């Protein structure tokens, strides 16, 4: 960072390091700065949105994810992030729609299956939630 303090890519990677360390506020600052330098990079925007979700800033994340999907309607990771935002905002029908789109292509993603189970539980679809949680327990009982 000392050598290239205005490198958007370096800031993005620094944000990733903070994110992996669960230092979400520091990660968010790095992502925001990277986006100020290169606002057109969807990966930077997606990283910021995911970080915003972790900090429970669902409306901000939703706005970013909608921008991404407006530019690239096939960005499945944006659908995954947006379903988490909708879940946090208790917009369960929208969350179910987005998570279904994601799981159509990545049915074995356990984090997405867990999110779906949580969305089902939040929306009151308890039978589906129990079924989904049961499948996850069979796959990894220790977790």
């Amino acid at each position: 960072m000392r050598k290239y303090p205005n490198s958007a890519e370096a800031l993005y990677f620094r944000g990733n390091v903070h994110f992996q360390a669960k230092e979400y506020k520091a990660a968010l600052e790095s992502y925001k700065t990277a986006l100020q330098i290169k606002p057109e990079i969807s990966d930077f925007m997606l990283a910021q949105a995911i970080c915003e979700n972790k900090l429970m800033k669902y409306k901000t994340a939703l706005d970013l994810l909608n921008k991404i999907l407006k530019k690239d309607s096939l960005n499945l990771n944006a659908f995954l992030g947006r379903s988490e935002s909708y879940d946090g905002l208790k917009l369960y029908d929208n969350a179910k729609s987005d998570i279904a789109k994601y799981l159509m292509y990545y049915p074995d993603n356990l984090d997405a299956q867990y999110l779906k189970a949580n969305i089902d539980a939040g929306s009151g679809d308890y039978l589906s939630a129990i079924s989904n949680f049961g499948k996850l327990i069979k796959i990894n009982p220790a977790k």
Side-chain angles (χ1 to χ4, degrees):
M1 290 305 307
R2 280 185 225 140
K3 190 172 182 179
Y4 302 105
N6 293 321
S7 167
E9 290 79 8
L11 287 160
Y12 169 74
F13 290 125
R14 182 173 71 179
N16 288 346
V17 170
H18 286 300
F19 189 89
Q20 290 301 316
K22 298 185 181 352
E23 299 166 352
Y24 301 123
K25 287 182 181 180
L28 182 60
E29 290 308 312
S30 291
Y31 295 143
K32 282 182 175 181
T33 306
L35 269 171
Q36 287 173 351
I37 297 167
K38 289 192 176 177
E40 71 282 357
I41 307 294
S42 291
D43 287 345
F44 297 178
M45 206 178 304
L46 180 62
Q48 180 182 340
I50 292 167
C51 200
E52 298 278 9
N53 274 338
K54 292 291 186 189
L55 294 168
M56 293 189 247
K57 297 179 181 179
Y58 302 116
K59 178 68 175 117
T60 304
L62 184 60
D63 291 342
L64 289 166
L65 292 159
N66 283 332
K67 284 181 188 176
I68 293 167
L69 287 167
K70 188 175 182 179
K71 287 172 34 177
D72 178 9
S73 63
L74 299 177
N75 188 324
L76 293 174
N77 289 322
F79 281 110
L80 179 62
R82 195 169 72 170
S83 67
E84 186 175 348
S85 297
Y86 282 139
D87 181 43
L89 294 169
K90 300 184 184 336
L91 299 170
Y92 298 118
D93 289 339
N94 295 348
K96 285 182 178 188
S97 174
D98 280 359
I99 197 66
K101 288 173 191 166
Y102 182 86
L103 285 170
M104 190 178 342
Y105 295 97
Y106 298 107
D108 297 330
N109 183 317
L110 297 181
D111 291 331
Q113 290 177 15
Y114 181 74
L115 177 58
K116 183 182 183 324
N118 279 321
I119 292 167
D120 288 339
S123 70
D125 190 357
Y126 300 118
L127 292 178
S128 181
I130 290 169
S131 174
N132 290 324
F133 282 127
K135 290 175 190 173
L136 290 167
I137 290 168
K138 282 183 183 177
I139 293 168
N140 190 348
K143 193 172 181 182

